[in-house]
Amino acid sequence: MVIHGFQKLTLLDYPGKVACTLFSGGCNFRCPFCQNSALVLNPAAEPEIPEEQVLSFLKRRQGILEGVCISGGEPTLDPDLERFVTKIKELGYLVKLDTNGYRPEILKKLVEEKKIDYVAMDIKNAPSRYGETAGVKKIDVMRINESVEFLKSGMVDYEFRTTLCKELHGREEIEAIGKWLSGAKRYFLQNYRESDYVIDPRFSGYAREQLEQFCEILRGKIETVEIRGVD
């Protein structure tokens, strides 16, 4: 598997677990507010970390680390993902996958073969604004919905999450998302933050008060709704 980033310790990326995080390159979306522009737009220019180096680290950390988070970019684009995850599982680790959900066939296969233990799926926006928010003109929202419904079926532990910015997300969009994800287990709202690494730096985040109002719209439809990453 092609690995472009490696965070050796995280207490945040895998809920309730001491973990590390790996970053793949490339993505089938072009979300304008994406914080990992280098990995998305030109991954070949980023340094590559040998797979053997990562596996050697994981062997040394057995009994210390509990989980491995695989993020990106979009990890399901890598043809070696399943093989690499199998090696991680053989070392006794839990595996969390971060995904945009656009390849439900890969997600289902990994879950059904018990290769991953937790999924964090990005919900970019309400279905009516998905292509605009994902930066892809022709997008098949039914592929996203297939992943949503699969996760809601409960075969694997999961969360949905949305990065909110004023220019793309308002009350109407939040209400539509709430209806779409109704019955889901866990949903996190993440506020947009300015960064030098954003693909298109023209967005702005919300005040916490407004985020709390959005949470109230969603509660009652989704089991757990929380704000993440806001002081």
Side-chain angles (χ1 to χ4, degrees), residues 92 95-96 117 143 196 204:
V95 176
K96 170 180 174 276
D117 305 280
R143 295 183 65 81
D196 293 337
S204 53

Side-chain angles (χ1 to χ4, degrees), residues 14 68 70 76 81-82 85-86 89 93-99 106-120 150-151 155-157:
Y14 198 137
V68 178
I70 301 180
T76 62
L81 175 62
E82 183 179 357
V85 167
T86 300
K89 294 295 291 180
Y93 287 98
L94 298 171
V95 176
K96 170 180 174 276
L97 177 70
D98 292 351
T99 182
I106 303 296
L107 175 61
K108 289 180 179 180
K109 190 172 190 293
L110 291 172
V111 170
E112 289 168 355
E113 295 182 359
K114 301 189 184 303
K115 300 291 177 63
I116 52 178
D117 305 280
Y118 192 98
V119 177
F150 176 70
L151 292 178
M155 286 190 65
V156 67
D157 202 7

Side-chain angles (χ1 to χ4, degrees), residues 160-177:
F160 296 118
R161 60 194 186 184
T162 298
T163 297
L164 298 179
C165 50
K166 292 180 181 178
E167 294 77 7
L168 293 169
H169 307 90
R171 183 183 182 91
E172 182 179 343
E173 286 75 25
I174 295 299
E175 289 176 343
I177 291 172

Side-chain angles (χ1 to χ4, degrees), residues 144-213:
I144 303 294
N145 189 62
E146 187 176 344
S147 292
V148 167
E149 293 303 316
F150 176 70
L151 292 178
K152 285 168 64 176
S153 74
M155 286 190 65
V156 67
D157 202 7
Y158 70 94
E159 67 182 55
F160 296 118
R161 60 194 186 184
T162 298
T163 297
L164 298 179
C165 50
K166 292 180 181 178
E167 294 77 7
L168 293 169
H169 307 90
R171 183 183 182 91
E172 182 179 343
E173 286 75 25
I174 295 299
E175 289 176 343
I177 291 172
K179 183 177 180 180
W180 185 20
L181 300 185
S182 181
K185 182 176 182 179
R186 196 179 292 119
Y187 184 42
F188 291 98
L189 303 183
Q190 303 174 161
N191 205 22
Y192 170 79
R193 289 187 175 183
E194 292 185 9
S195 164
D196 293 337
Y197 304 102
V198 174
I199 289 179
D200 185 358
R202 60 184 172 87
F203 297 98
S204 53
Y206 277 105
R208 186 178 183 94
E209 180 182 1
Q210 182 62 64
L211 295 176
E212 292 285 3
Q213 292 176 16

